[in-house]
Every structure is written in structure tokens, then in C-alpha cells.
Short mmCIF file of all heavy atoms in Angstrom, two decimals:
data_model
loop_
_atom_site.label_atom_id
_atom_site.label_comp_id
_atom_site.label_asym_id
_atom_site.label_seq_id
_atom_site.Cartn_x
_atom_site.Cartn_y
_atom_site.Cartn_z
N ALA A 1 10.37 -8.13 -8.46
CA ALA A 1 10.25 -8.73 -9.85
C ALA A 1 11.56 -9.49 -10.02
O ALA A 1 12.63 -9.21 -9.46
CB ALA A 1 10.13 -7.67 -10.90
N PRO A 2 11.53 -10.56 -10.96
CA PRO A 2 12.70 -11.28 -11.23
C PRO A 2 13.94 -10.39 -11.62
O PRO A 2 13.72 -9.54 -12.51
CB PRO A 2 12.40 -12.15 -12.34
CG PRO A 2 10.84 -12.32 -12.17
CD PRO A 2 10.38 -11.03 -11.76
N GLY A 3 15.05 -10.52 -10.98
CA GLY A 3 16.24 -9.83 -11.32
C GLY A 3 16.22 -8.41 -10.81
O GLY A 3 17.20 -7.71 -11.14
N LYS A 4 15.26 -8.04 -10.09
CA LYS A 4 15.14 -6.67 -9.51
C LYS A 4 15.29 -6.69 -8.01
O LYS A 4 15.09 -7.64 -7.32
CB LYS A 4 13.78 -6.08 -9.92
CG LYS A 4 13.48 -6.04 -11.37
CD LYS A 4 14.36 -4.98 -12.12
CE LYS A 4 13.92 -4.85 -13.54
NZ LYS A 4 14.75 -3.75 -14.22
N GLU A 5 15.66 -5.50 -7.42
CA GLU A 5 15.62 -5.37 -6.04
C GLU A 5 14.20 -5.31 -5.44
O GLU A 5 13.29 -4.92 -6.13
CB GLU A 5 16.32 -4.08 -5.63
CG GLU A 5 17.79 -3.99 -5.70
CD GLU A 5 18.48 -2.78 -5.16
OE1 GLU A 5 18.01 -2.32 -4.05
OE2 GLU A 5 19.28 -2.17 -5.77
N ARG A 6 14.05 -5.60 -4.16
CA ARG A 6 12.79 -5.45 -3.53
C ARG A 6 12.46 -4.02 -3.43
O ARG A 6 13.25 -3.13 -3.12
CB ARG A 6 12.87 -6.12 -2.22
CG ARG A 6 11.49 -6.06 -1.46
CD ARG A 6 11.64 -6.91 -0.15
NE ARG A 6 12.65 -6.34 0.80
CZ ARG A 6 13.10 -6.93 1.85
NH1 ARG A 6 12.67 -8.12 2.14
NH2 ARG A 6 13.98 -6.36 2.60
N GLU A 7 11.26 -3.69 -3.80
CA GLU A 7 10.75 -2.32 -3.90
C GLU A 7 9.62 -1.94 -2.96
O GLU A 7 8.69 -2.66 -2.97
CB GLU A 7 10.29 -2.04 -5.36
CG GLU A 7 9.83 -0.57 -5.65
CD GLU A 7 9.28 -0.40 -7.05
OE1 GLU A 7 8.96 -1.40 -7.69
OE2 GLU A 7 9.27 0.69 -7.52
N PHE A 8 9.66 -0.89 -2.33
CA PHE A 8 8.55 -0.36 -1.42
C PHE A 8 7.37 0.03 -2.34
O PHE A 8 7.63 0.80 -3.31
CB PHE A 8 9.08 0.73 -0.62
CG PHE A 8 7.95 1.31 0.30
CD1 PHE A 8 7.41 0.65 1.38
CD2 PHE A 8 7.45 2.60 0.02
CE1 PHE A 8 6.40 1.18 2.06
CE2 PHE A 8 6.33 3.15 0.72
CZ PHE A 8 5.93 2.34 1.80
N VAL A 9 6.16 -0.40 -1.93
CA VAL A 9 5.04 0.00 -2.58
C VAL A 9 4.05 0.93 -1.76
O VAL A 9 3.91 2.06 -2.27
CB VAL A 9 4.17 -1.31 -2.96
CG1 VAL A 9 2.83 -0.91 -3.64
CG2 VAL A 9 4.92 -2.30 -3.88
N ALA A 10 3.72 0.52 -0.60
CA ALA A 10 2.89 1.44 0.16
C ALA A 10 2.81 0.84 1.59
O ALA A 10 2.98 -0.38 1.81
CB ALA A 10 1.40 1.50 -0.40
N ALA A 11 2.52 1.80 2.54
CA ALA A 11 2.30 1.30 3.90
C ALA A 11 1.32 2.21 4.59
O ALA A 11 0.96 3.27 4.15
CB ALA A 11 3.64 1.31 4.66
N ILE A 12 0.89 1.80 5.78
CA ILE A 12 -0.20 2.46 6.49
C ILE A 12 0.01 2.29 8.00
O ILE A 12 0.33 1.19 8.50
CB ILE A 12 -1.60 2.04 5.99
CG1 ILE A 12 -2.71 3.00 6.56
CG2 ILE A 12 -1.89 0.58 6.38
CD1 ILE A 12 -4.00 2.80 5.78
N ASN A 13 -0.25 3.38 8.82
CA ASN A 13 -0.28 3.33 10.25
C ASN A 13 -1.72 2.70 10.63
O ASN A 13 -2.71 3.16 10.22
CB ASN A 13 -0.13 4.71 10.94
CG ASN A 13 -0.36 4.78 12.27
OD1 ASN A 13 -1.54 4.90 12.69
ND2 ASN A 13 0.69 4.53 13.08
N MET A 14 -1.62 1.62 11.39
CA MET A 14 -2.81 0.93 11.68
C MET A 14 -3.81 1.63 12.50
O MET A 14 -5.02 1.61 12.31
CB MET A 14 -2.57 -0.45 12.32
CG MET A 14 -1.84 -1.41 11.40
SD MET A 14 -2.85 -1.83 10.05
CE MET A 14 -3.99 -2.99 10.84
N ALA A 15 -3.33 2.48 13.46
CA ALA A 15 -4.27 3.15 14.36
C ALA A 15 -4.89 4.38 13.70
O ALA A 15 -6.12 4.52 13.71
CB ALA A 15 -3.51 3.59 15.53
N ALA A 16 -4.14 5.22 13.00
CA ALA A 16 -4.62 6.46 12.46
C ALA A 16 -5.14 6.22 10.93
O ALA A 16 -5.85 7.01 10.49
CB ALA A 16 -3.59 7.49 12.51
N GLY A 17 -4.60 5.22 10.34
CA GLY A 17 -4.96 5.02 8.92
C GLY A 17 -4.14 5.96 7.97
O GLY A 17 -4.62 6.13 6.80
N THR A 18 -3.11 6.48 8.42
CA THR A 18 -2.30 7.37 7.60
C THR A 18 -1.49 6.69 6.56
O THR A 18 -0.64 5.81 7.03
CB THR A 18 -1.37 8.29 8.51
OG1 THR A 18 -2.21 8.96 9.49
CG2 THR A 18 -0.62 9.33 7.62
N PRO A 19 -1.67 6.90 5.23
CA PRO A 19 -0.94 6.16 4.22
C PRO A 19 0.47 6.77 3.91
O PRO A 19 0.70 7.94 4.04
CB PRO A 19 -1.93 6.14 3.07
CG PRO A 19 -2.57 7.45 3.14
CD PRO A 19 -2.65 7.72 4.67
N TYR A 20 1.28 5.98 3.30
CA TYR A 20 2.51 6.45 2.67
C TYR A 20 2.76 5.58 1.43
O TYR A 20 2.64 4.31 1.46
CB TYR A 20 3.61 6.34 3.73
CG TYR A 20 5.06 6.78 3.18
CD1 TYR A 20 5.23 8.02 2.87
CD2 TYR A 20 5.99 5.76 2.98
CE1 TYR A 20 6.44 8.46 2.35
CE2 TYR A 20 7.30 6.14 2.45
CZ TYR A 20 7.46 7.43 2.19
OH TYR A 20 8.68 7.85 1.65
N TYR A 21 3.24 6.21 0.27
CA TYR A 21 3.32 5.52 -0.94
C TYR A 21 4.69 5.69 -1.53
O TYR A 21 5.38 6.64 -1.38
CB TYR A 21 2.29 6.08 -1.98
CG TYR A 21 0.90 5.83 -1.62
CD1 TYR A 21 0.16 6.82 -1.03
CD2 TYR A 21 0.27 4.66 -1.76
CE1 TYR A 21 -1.18 6.52 -0.65
CE2 TYR A 21 -1.07 4.37 -1.48
CZ TYR A 21 -1.79 5.38 -0.95
OH TYR A 21 -3.08 5.13 -0.55
N GLY A 22 5.08 4.56 -2.20
CA GLY A 22 6.31 4.65 -2.92
C GLY A 22 6.11 5.36 -4.26
O GLY A 22 4.92 5.51 -4.67
N ASP A 23 7.11 5.71 -4.94
CA ASP A 23 6.90 6.55 -6.10
C ASP A 23 6.15 5.72 -7.29
O ASP A 23 5.30 6.35 -7.90
CB ASP A 23 8.32 6.90 -6.82
CG ASP A 23 9.06 7.90 -5.90
OD1 ASP A 23 8.38 8.57 -5.12
OD2 ASP A 23 10.31 8.00 -6.12
N SER A 24 6.35 4.46 -7.31
CA SER A 24 5.66 3.71 -8.40
C SER A 24 4.17 3.59 -8.15
O SER A 24 3.38 3.27 -9.03
CB SER A 24 6.25 2.32 -8.51
OG SER A 24 6.07 1.52 -7.35
N ALA A 25 3.73 3.71 -6.94
CA ALA A 25 2.31 3.55 -6.49
C ALA A 25 1.52 4.81 -6.59
O ALA A 25 0.35 4.84 -6.61
CB ALA A 25 2.25 2.96 -5.18
N LYS A 26 2.19 5.97 -6.45
CA LYS A 26 1.53 7.23 -6.32
C LYS A 26 0.55 7.43 -7.48
O LYS A 26 0.89 7.42 -8.63
CB LYS A 26 2.50 8.36 -6.21
CG LYS A 26 3.39 8.39 -4.86
CD LYS A 26 4.39 9.46 -4.86
CE LYS A 26 5.27 9.41 -3.62
NZ LYS A 26 6.33 10.36 -3.59
N GLY A 27 -0.63 7.83 -7.09
CA GLY A 27 -1.67 8.11 -8.14
C GLY A 27 -2.28 6.91 -8.70
O GLY A 27 -3.38 7.14 -9.46
N ARG A 28 -1.90 5.83 -8.48
CA ARG A 28 -2.45 4.52 -8.97
C ARG A 28 -3.01 3.56 -7.91
O ARG A 28 -3.93 2.81 -8.17
CB ARG A 28 -1.56 3.80 -9.97
CG ARG A 28 -1.04 4.57 -11.15
CD ARG A 28 -0.32 3.72 -12.17
NE ARG A 28 0.89 3.21 -11.48
CZ ARG A 28 1.28 1.93 -11.54
NH1 ARG A 28 0.57 1.01 -12.22
NH2 ARG A 28 2.36 1.51 -10.99
N PHE A 29 -2.23 3.46 -6.85
CA PHE A 29 -2.61 2.51 -5.79
C PHE A 29 -3.19 3.21 -4.56
O PHE A 29 -2.80 4.35 -4.29
CB PHE A 29 -1.35 1.69 -5.35
CG PHE A 29 -0.73 0.84 -6.44
CD1 PHE A 29 -1.22 0.79 -7.71
CD2 PHE A 29 0.42 0.11 -6.10
CE1 PHE A 29 -0.57 -0.01 -8.68
CE2 PHE A 29 1.04 -0.65 -7.06
CZ PHE A 29 0.39 -0.67 -8.38
N THR A 30 -4.01 2.44 -3.90
CA THR A 30 -4.62 3.04 -2.61
C THR A 30 -4.50 1.94 -1.53
O THR A 30 -5.04 0.84 -1.72
CB THR A 30 -6.09 3.42 -2.82
OG1 THR A 30 -6.20 4.49 -3.79
CG2 THR A 30 -6.66 4.00 -1.50
N ILE A 31 -3.86 2.33 -0.42
CA ILE A 31 -3.74 1.42 0.66
C ILE A 31 -4.72 1.74 1.81
O ILE A 31 -5.06 2.95 1.95
CB ILE A 31 -2.28 1.38 1.28
CG1 ILE A 31 -2.09 0.25 2.26
CG2 ILE A 31 -1.98 2.68 1.87
CD1 ILE A 31 -0.66 -0.15 2.68
N SER A 32 -5.32 0.75 2.38
CA SER A 32 -6.33 0.95 3.41
C SER A 32 -6.18 -0.11 4.45
O SER A 32 -5.49 -1.15 4.22
CB SER A 32 -7.73 0.97 2.92
OG SER A 32 -8.03 -0.15 2.22
N ARG A 33 -6.86 0.00 5.61
CA ARG A 33 -6.77 -0.91 6.58
C ARG A 33 -8.10 -1.06 7.36
O ARG A 33 -8.89 -0.12 7.40
CB ARG A 33 -5.61 -0.70 7.58
CG ARG A 33 -6.04 0.05 8.90
CD ARG A 33 -6.15 1.55 8.72
NE ARG A 33 -6.48 2.21 9.97
CZ ARG A 33 -7.53 2.80 10.33
NH1 ARG A 33 -8.67 2.68 9.54
NH2 ARG A 33 -7.60 3.58 11.36
N ASP A 34 -8.39 -2.24 7.95
CA ASP A 34 -9.40 -2.44 8.84
C ASP A 34 -8.86 -3.06 10.15
O ASP A 34 -8.37 -4.18 10.22
CB ASP A 34 -10.39 -3.50 8.26
CG ASP A 34 -11.64 -3.74 9.10
OD1 ASP A 34 -11.60 -3.59 10.31
OD2 ASP A 34 -12.67 -4.18 8.46
N LEU A 35 -8.73 -2.05 11.07
CA LEU A 35 -8.01 -2.44 12.34
C LEU A 35 -8.81 -3.53 13.12
O LEU A 35 -8.18 -4.39 13.86
CB LEU A 35 -7.81 -1.23 13.22
CG LEU A 35 -7.02 -1.36 14.51
CD1 LEU A 35 -5.69 -1.90 14.21
CD2 LEU A 35 -6.98 -0.02 15.27
N VAL A 36 -10.13 -3.55 13.09
CA VAL A 36 -10.87 -4.49 13.80
C VAL A 36 -10.65 -5.91 13.29
O VAL A 36 -10.47 -6.82 14.05
CB VAL A 36 -12.37 -4.12 13.63
CG1 VAL A 36 -13.19 -5.38 14.29
CG2 VAL A 36 -12.72 -2.89 14.38
N LYS A 37 -10.46 -6.12 11.94
CA LYS A 37 -10.22 -7.34 11.36
C LYS A 37 -8.66 -7.64 11.15
O LYS A 37 -8.28 -8.63 10.72
CB LYS A 37 -10.85 -7.42 10.04
CG LYS A 37 -12.36 -7.37 10.04
CD LYS A 37 -12.96 -7.56 8.73
CE LYS A 37 -14.59 -7.52 8.79
NZ LYS A 37 -15.12 -7.68 7.49
N ASN A 38 -7.81 -6.65 11.53
CA ASN A 38 -6.41 -6.79 11.32
C ASN A 38 -5.95 -7.11 9.95
O ASN A 38 -5.24 -8.01 9.62
CB ASN A 38 -5.81 -7.93 12.29
CG ASN A 38 -5.94 -7.57 13.81
OD1 ASN A 38 -5.91 -6.42 14.20
ND2 ASN A 38 -6.10 -8.57 14.58
N MET A 39 -6.57 -6.34 9.03
CA MET A 39 -6.33 -6.41 7.56
C MET A 39 -5.85 -5.25 6.99
O MET A 39 -6.22 -4.06 7.47
CB MET A 39 -7.65 -7.00 6.94
CG MET A 39 -8.10 -8.32 7.38
SD MET A 39 -9.52 -8.93 6.39
CE MET A 39 -8.68 -9.29 4.77
N VAL A 40 -5.05 -5.36 5.98
CA VAL A 40 -4.60 -4.33 5.11
C VAL A 40 -4.85 -4.64 3.69
O VAL A 40 -4.72 -5.80 3.27
CB VAL A 40 -3.06 -4.03 5.37
CG1 VAL A 40 -2.52 -3.04 4.39
CG2 VAL A 40 -2.87 -3.56 6.79
N PHE A 41 -5.16 -3.68 2.95
CA PHE A 41 -5.56 -3.85 1.49
C PHE A 41 -4.71 -2.83 0.61
O PHE A 41 -4.33 -1.75 1.08
CB PHE A 41 -7.04 -3.63 1.24
CG PHE A 41 -7.86 -4.34 2.20
CD1 PHE A 41 -8.33 -3.71 3.38
CD2 PHE A 41 -8.45 -5.61 1.80
CE1 PHE A 41 -9.12 -4.40 4.22
CE2 PHE A 41 -9.39 -6.19 2.69
CZ PHE A 41 -9.63 -5.66 3.85
N VAL A 42 -4.45 -3.28 -0.55
CA VAL A 42 -3.88 -2.38 -1.52
C VAL A 42 -4.57 -2.51 -2.81
O VAL A 42 -4.67 -3.56 -3.44
CB VAL A 42 -2.41 -2.40 -1.73
CG1 VAL A 42 -1.95 -3.81 -2.18
CG2 VAL A 42 -1.90 -1.43 -2.77
N GLU A 43 -5.41 -1.43 -3.21
CA GLU A 43 -6.15 -1.43 -4.47
C GLU A 43 -5.25 -0.83 -5.51
O GLU A 43 -4.77 0.21 -5.42
CB GLU A 43 -7.36 -0.64 -4.41
CG GLU A 43 -8.16 -0.50 -5.65
CD GLU A 43 -9.38 0.42 -5.52
OE1 GLU A 43 -9.58 1.05 -4.51
OE2 GLU A 43 -10.19 0.44 -6.45
N MET A 44 -4.98 -1.66 -6.51
CA MET A 44 -4.04 -1.35 -7.62
C MET A 44 -4.77 -1.18 -8.91
O MET A 44 -5.38 -2.03 -9.45
CB MET A 44 -2.98 -2.43 -7.77
CG MET A 44 -2.23 -2.81 -6.41
SD MET A 44 -0.90 -3.93 -6.73
CE MET A 44 -1.75 -5.39 -7.23
N ASN A 45 -4.76 0.10 -9.45
CA ASN A 45 -5.38 0.46 -10.60
C ASN A 45 -4.38 0.89 -11.70
O ASN A 45 -3.21 1.16 -11.48
CB ASN A 45 -6.25 1.72 -10.42
CG ASN A 45 -7.35 1.40 -9.33
OD1 ASN A 45 -8.06 0.50 -9.43
ND2 ASN A 45 -7.47 2.28 -8.29
N SER A 46 -4.90 0.92 -12.99
CA SER A 46 -4.08 1.27 -14.10
C SER A 46 -2.79 0.41 -14.18
O SER A 46 -1.71 0.90 -14.28
CB SER A 46 -3.72 2.71 -14.12
OG SER A 46 -4.99 3.52 -14.18
N LEU A 47 -2.99 -0.85 -14.02
CA LEU A 47 -1.77 -1.71 -13.86
C LEU A 47 -0.97 -1.83 -15.16
O LEU A 47 -1.45 -1.71 -16.30
CB LEU A 47 -2.20 -3.19 -13.47
CG LEU A 47 -2.55 -3.26 -11.89
CD1 LEU A 47 -3.25 -4.47 -11.69
CD2 LEU A 47 -1.30 -3.26 -11.05
#
């Protein structure tokens, strides 16, 4: 955000699909991946 440090949101291991979330994302965001399509998604709720 403007005037703010870069902040970690979420990440995922592509092979296993194991997610990891930053504090701001926990309980609201969901990360997922499609390894066949080489895509990663983050669904952000309650914004």
C-alpha cells in the first residue's frame, strides 16, 4: 500500500498444494493452485 512496507499475503507449494498465510490473510483469504495450468489464485473475502 502507499507509504507501507511490502507485506506477505499467502503462498503455496505447487506440487503438494500446501498453503501458508500471513497474519492479515488468515481466516479471510484462500490460496490455491492449478499445477497443470501453472496458475495460482487467491480468493479474498470480507475485504
Side-chain angles (χ1 to χ4, degrees):
K4 302 288 187 179
E5 283 188 46
R6 188 172 60 190
E7 179 187 19
F8 175 73
V9 177
I12 192 164
N13 172 272
M14 292 296 286
T18 306
Y20 179 69
Y21 295 98
D23 290 341
S24 64
K26 292 176 182 176
R28 298 190 299 132
F29 296 0
T30 301
I31 190 167
S32 59
R33 94 286 188 248
D34 186 331
L35 184 57
V36 173
K37 296 181 178 180
N38 295 328
M39 295 186 70
V40 174
F41 310 87
V42 59
E43 180 184 2
M44 306 186 295
N45 300 308
S46 301
L47 284 164

